[in-house]
Amino acid sequence: MATYAIGDIQGCYDELQQLLEKLRFDPASDRLWFAGDLVNRGPKSLEVLRFVKALDDAAVTVLGNHDLHLLAVWQHAHRHFKDNDTISSILQAPDGGELLEWLRHRPLMHYDAQLDYAMIHAGLPPQWSLKGALKRAAEVETVLRGPDFRDFLDSMYGNKPHTWKKSLEGWDRLRFIVNCFTRMRFCTPEGKLELKDKGGPGSQEAGYIPWFEVAERKTRDERIIFGHWSTLGLHLSDGVCAIDTGCLWGGSLTALRIDDGSEAVTSLACTAYHTPGVKGEG
């Protein structure tokens, strides 16, 4: 049985199917881990959602910023809809409600003790241990799956607070947690977030570094898979597995084998659906 972690799909359904053909993926025996952002900007978000949901126990996916954005658009009458969103087919589909209910019950973080890998969409602040990160993820998951999820989806937008404090409460606390798991790239060594810079390492303001380079990061001894950062690209070093290789932008869609210790990479060259520099989060 093989287990593969796959980077951001963002509606690139045809490329996903071609990659799975290269892997000779068998849902009866193999497993897939999706690093979030199943939807948006690509042409076939509805098909991706239907496919991943139908995989049932053969797949696990964590939520990305585009997945949460889709849920917010759904619950708030398109108020958060952006001109370059490609999610209307989901909202109009006869099974759209069922798909979106399934999506809002996905986790922010997945950890498999047997494989000894954790998976998130974006990043973790240096103050959180693996156990602490799982607890913070559970806080958001409880609200997202509960009766207050509409209010949460409306309140999650924004860049503040910048820094983690145990004393944070309410929407500020949940917003910080969500921003780490789904939007984070750079931070200071003390954990102050910089959420506007979407470039690769070296593009950031002075004083900020990639979140995984913080020397005192409490998850430094863990193996963490993440996507979100297409301008970083494939990065496998010291337990860090960045696997968003920019399929949407004309890069590639990447699968990382994680069950046998090889971290073997299989990639598929992709067609550009959006040109780098188009306004909006990757």
Side-chain angles (χ1 to χ4, degrees), residues 60-63 68 71 101 103-111 119-121 132-149 152 174 177-178 181-182:
V60 60
T61 183
V62 294
L63 290 166
L68 287 171
L71 292 172
E101 283 291 338
L103 187 64
R104 81 175 176 105
H105 285 80
R106 297 312 95 204
L108 279 176
M109 183 174 184
H110 177 69
Y111 175 64
M119 181 174 65
I120 55 177
H121 179 62
L134 288 165
K135 287 182 177 180
R136 300 295 81 78
E139 290 183 45
V140 174
E141 291 158 9
T142 297
V143 175
L144 188 58
R145 298 167 186 176
D148 296 326
F149 79 100
F152 161 73
L174 296 179
I177 294 171
V178 166
F181 280 115
T182 68

Side-chain angles (χ1 to χ4, degrees), residues 184-205:
M184 185 178 185
R185 295 183 180 94
F186 298 106
C187 67
T188 66
E190 296 74 34
K192 180 181 178 182
L193 307 186
E194 206 302 302
L195 296 171
K196 295 181 180 180
D197 195 330
K198 303 169 189 175
S203 68
Q204 73 272 24
E205 294 181 22

Side-chain angles (χ1 to χ4, degrees), residues 214-235:
V214 176
E216 301 302 320
R217 174 169 59 91
K218 289 187 176 180
T219 52
R220 201 160 187 85
D221 294 329
E222 311 294 345
R223 294 195 290 182
I224 301 174
I225 300 165
F226 66 98
H228 184 61
W229 202 344
S230 61
T231 51
L232 171 65
L234 184 67
H235 181 91

Side-chain angles (χ1 to χ4, degrees), residues 6 30 52 57 85 157 171 187 204 218 233 241 249 260:
I6 297 179
D30 299 332
V52 176
D57 291 341
D85 285 340
Y157 290 91
W171 299 133
C187 67
Q204 73 272 24
K218 289 187 176 180
C241 304
W249 311 106
D260 61 357

